[in-house]
């Protein structure tokens, strides 16, 4: 677990980068970007900034949009790092690496799989509704009566 200081630095970097993308970075390649997480190493020398990019429709962008967003973030990295250093007031500012967060796409794929599983469960439940057990209704063996042991129940074919 990271120390409280490192967590505070990561939270502050997340806020600074989000504000920079919202107010100061005016790159046309930059889509609607959300900063999802920031992870900072224990010595606060490197920061990994995770982001998602959405298009106008609110869906995840296609590969062209993602490439453009990644290029825009890469070109703005120096300006963002200098602003992070200025606002944090640390001796060494962390180097910043932008990583596309694939978690929303993974979650969407899992939701699709779960909905297909629910649909197949409903089909099985409908098929099962009128079914009966194979064989006798009570498949367990029962102890014999005392008369059956004497041979009273046996048929004489003579």
């Amino acid at each position: 677990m990271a120390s409280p200081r490192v967590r505070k630095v990561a939270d502050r970097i997340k806020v600074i980068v989000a504000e920079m993308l919202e107010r100061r970075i005016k790159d046309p390649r930059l889509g609607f970007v959300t900063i999802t997480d920031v992870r900072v190493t224990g010595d606060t020398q490197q920061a990994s900034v995770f982001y998602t990019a959405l298009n106008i429709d609110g869906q995840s962008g296609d590969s062209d949009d993602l490439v453009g967003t990644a290029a825009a973030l890469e070109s703005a990295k120096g300006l963002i790092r200098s602003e992070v250093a200025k606002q944090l007031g640390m001796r060494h500012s962390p180097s910043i690496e932008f990583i596309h967060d694939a978690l929303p796409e993974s979650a969407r794929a899992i939701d699709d799989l779960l909905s297909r599983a629910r649909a197949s469960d409903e089909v099985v439940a409908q098929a099962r509704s009128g079914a009966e057990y194979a064989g006798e209704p009570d498949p367990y063996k029962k102890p014999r009566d005392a008369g059956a042991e004497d041979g009273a129940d046996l048929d004489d074919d003579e």
Side-chain angles (χ1 to χ4, degrees):
M1 190 61 154
S3 70
R5 178 180 178 271
V6 173
R7 274 187 262 138
K8 286 180 184 177
V9 168
D11 289 342
R12 187 68 188 135
I13 290 173
K14 182 177 178 181
V15 170
I16 293 168
V17 171
E19 288 177 354
M20 289 284 297
L21 292 177
E22 183 181 349
R23 295 192 178 110
R24 291 195 47 199
I25 308 297
K26 302 295 181 195
D27 195 329
R29 299 173 293 180
L30 195 64
F32 181 70
V33 177
T34 302
I35 305 300
T36 56
D37 192 20
V38 175
R39 294 186 186 153
V40 179
T41 58
D43 58 356
T44 66
Q45 293 298 310
Q46 296 174 347
S48 299
V49 179
F50 293 90
Y51 69 95
T52 59
L54 301 177
N55 59 16
I56 296 171
D57 300 332
Q59 301 294 324
S60 290
D62 58 0
S63 61
D64 295 336
D65 292 339
L66 292 177
V67 169
T69 299
L73 290 173
E74 198 64 34
S75 68
K77 187 186 287 188
L79 178 64
I80 292 171
R81 183 177 182 197
S82 65
E83 186 66 24
V84 165
K86 188 169 101 176
Q87 288 194 24
L88 286 180
M90 297 172 56
R91 179 178 292 193
H92 299 286
S93 68
S95 62
I96 296 175
E97 176 186 13
F98 288 100
I99 301 170
H100 179 260
D101 194 0
L103 186 65
E105 289 85 10
S106 301
R108 191 173 303 112
I110 290 173
D111 285 341
D112 291 342
L113 288 173
L114 288 174
S115 66
R116 282 193 289 172
R118 269 189 223 103
S120 65
D121 285 348
E122 289 173 5
V123 169
V124 169
Q126 288 175 356
R128 182 181 59 204
S129 64
E132 295 179 8
Y133 289 110
E136 299 175 12
D138 189 11
Y140 299 106
K141 292 183 179 180
K142 297 200 173 26
R144 294 184 175 180
D145 294 334
E149 290 177 7
D150 296 337
D153 288 344
L154 296 176
D155 291 342
D156 293 332
D157 290 335
E158 298 178 22

